[in-house]
Amino acid sequence: VKIVKTISEMQNISINHKKEGKTIAVVPTMGYFHDGHISLMKYARENADIIIVTLFVNPTQFAPDEDFDRYPRDTEQDSRKAEENNCDYLFRPTVEEMYPFGFITEIRIGGVTEKFEGVTRPFHFNGVTTIVSKLFNATLPDIAVFGQKDYQQTIVIKQLIRDLNYNIKIDIVPTLREPDGLAMSSRNIYLSAEYRKKAPGIYKALISVKKSIEKGLRKRSEINSLLIKKISKTPELKIDYACAADAETLEEPDEFRRDRKIVLLAACYLGKTRLIDNIVV
Ligand code: PAF
């Protein structure tokens, strides 16, 4: 894998590959690769000629009281994993490269960013859409690969691609899970051994409510109450939000139509660690 640190070098590389008629897939990440990231790299490998993985812990998507400083980082190991998984380029810019002195632009999307994650983390998605735009402009991909684990983020990026006319196909790869069901996340390392045992309670609740929806439950208030009740079976899980929404639009109708997919979204605190998960029914 070739490490690239500047936007201009990255753009030149992509332009040259495009001239050769190659297709480019980008996998945007914040590093500390686990098997979930590897599954995104594998998906990219199977669907494009050139794979660019971006590794940038983006300061603008963290609030001042969030975990930017202690977010796990291991660039040596990440480079090795990108190499082992046949990625062609690891784009690893510095904060100064992405946000040079005088940088003042921010991309803000309304609507879909204002609920769920957007309530607890009001500026989070502005940071995400701004950096993802910059990463698209640096890597010039044909395909962008994101994980389903950050479900609302995938909806927001789809909106970004539509609204700013990026000629990029977005592909969403299913969440990878630990054997007990916990969604893989770089933040799982924050969990103490005791909390780690409690963490799969979120997925168990999602699965249980999924079954009720499959049996015919369609009223949103009833689905939400059931989800809260099921998560509360693990009292250590402090619910931030747990709700059902339309899987494509994130709208919240009183009653879901039978021909629409529903996404169940949950964010919970285990001690100070905030975990998110979701399931599509
Ligand atoms: O999902 C992530 O890791 C980040 O939000 C992303 C898309 C790389 C932007 O910083």
Side-chain angles (χ1 to χ4, degrees):
V1 69
K2 179 175 164 50
I3 313 279
V4 181
K5 292 193 174 170
T6 67
I7 296 170
S8 60
E9 192 192 353
M10 192 69 259
Q11 283 173 333
N12 282 332
I13 288 170
S14 289
I15 289 166
N16 286 332
H17 283 306
K18 279 176 182 288
K19 280 188 195 149
E20 297 164 349
K22 305 259 201 247
T23 56
I24 299 172
V26 69
V27 182
T29 82
M30 298 205 297
Y32 208 70
F33 298 149
H34 51 67
D35 286 353
H37 295 109
I38 307 297
S39 76
L40 304 182
M41 295 175 198
K42 287 199 169 127
Y43 180 90
R45 187 72 280 164
E46 284 162 15
N47 288 278
D49 301 318
I50 303 293
I51 313 308
I52 305 172
V53 177
T54 72
L55 193 176
F56 182 66
V57 185
N58 174 35
T60 66
Q61 68 188 75
F62 292 79
D65 60 341
E66 289 183 349
D67 56 346
F68 174 72
D69 287 330
R70 64 180 190 120
Y71 194 85
R73 293 162 170 90
D74 189 341
T75 40
E76 293 276 297
Q77 182 166 281
D78 285 347
S79 307
R80 209 173 49 246
K81 287 188 177 176
E83 170 78 38
E84 282 165 11
N85 288 282
N86 298 320
C87 298
D88 298 293
Y89 301 96
L90 186 61
F91 179 51
R92 217 178 67 193
T94 59
V95 172
E96 292 72 29
E97 177 70 9
M98 293 316 269
Y99 299 112
F101 181 74
F103 185 94
I104 49 169
T105 298
E106 186 175 69
I107 296 180
R108 192 190 74 79
I109 293 179
V112 288
T113 64
E114 284 159 11
K115 43 173 67 179
F116 311 132
E117 288 298 291
V119 175
T120 309
R121 311 181 71 191
F123 305 103
H124 171 68
F125 285 121
N126 297 354
V128 171
T129 45
T130 304
I131 196 64
V132 169
S133 296
K134 287 176 68 72
L135 292 171
F136 285 169
N137 292 334
T139 58
L140 308 171
D142 301 286
I143 304 173
V145 184
F146 289 88
Q148 188 189 321
K149 163 128 183 304
D150 294 295
Y151 194 87
Q152 190 176 2
Q153 173 171 275
T154 67
I155 301 286
V156 171
I157 306 283
K158 283 179 187 169
Q159 187 80 40
L160 174 80
I161 288 176
R162 256 199 314 275
D163 289 357
L164 294 189
N165 310 105
Y166 279 108
N167 188 14
I168 298 171
K169 178 170 172 279
I170 175 165
D171 284 339
I172 313 299
V173 175
T175 305
L176 237 68
R177 297 182 181 281
E178 302 293 349
D180 61 6
L182 174 64
M184 287 188 188
S185 162
S186 305
R187 289 191 168 100
N188 290 349
I189 60 150
Y190 297 154
L191 295 168
S192 67
E194 244 353 88
Y195 281 145
R196 172 64 190 80
K197 283 188 210 147
K198 306 291 177 189
I202 306 176
Y203 185 58
K204 283 196 191 115
L206 292 171
I207 289 283
S208 163
V209 178
K210 175 176 187 261
K211 286 184 187 146
S212 299
I213 294 172
E214 283 165 350
K215 282 188 201 141
L217 191 66
R218 276 290 182 286
K219 264 206 160 108
R220 186 168 56 85
S221 59
E222 288 174 12
I223 297 173
N224 288 358
S225 306
L226 186 63
L227 185 56
I228 289 168
K229 189 172 135 205
K230 296 284 179 187
I231 296 176
S232 305
K233 285 194 170 175
T234 309
E236 292 81 358
L237 289 169
K238 304 287 177 232
I239 299 173
D240 181 359
Y241 61 82
C243 5
D246 184 282
E248 254 175 58
T249 62
L250 297 188
E251 279 163 350
E252 297 172 276
D254 291 341
E255 183 137 1
F256 290 100
R257 278 176 22 200
R258 289 193 184 274
D259 60 343
R260 300 292 298 178
K261 284 193 177 165
I262 300 172
V263 61
L264 298 173
L265 299 155
C268 300
Y269 290 93
L270 257 179
K272 282 193 179 141
T273 307
R274 189 166 178 280
L275 300 175
I276 59 170
D277 203 351
N278 67 82
I279 199 168
V280 176
V281 191

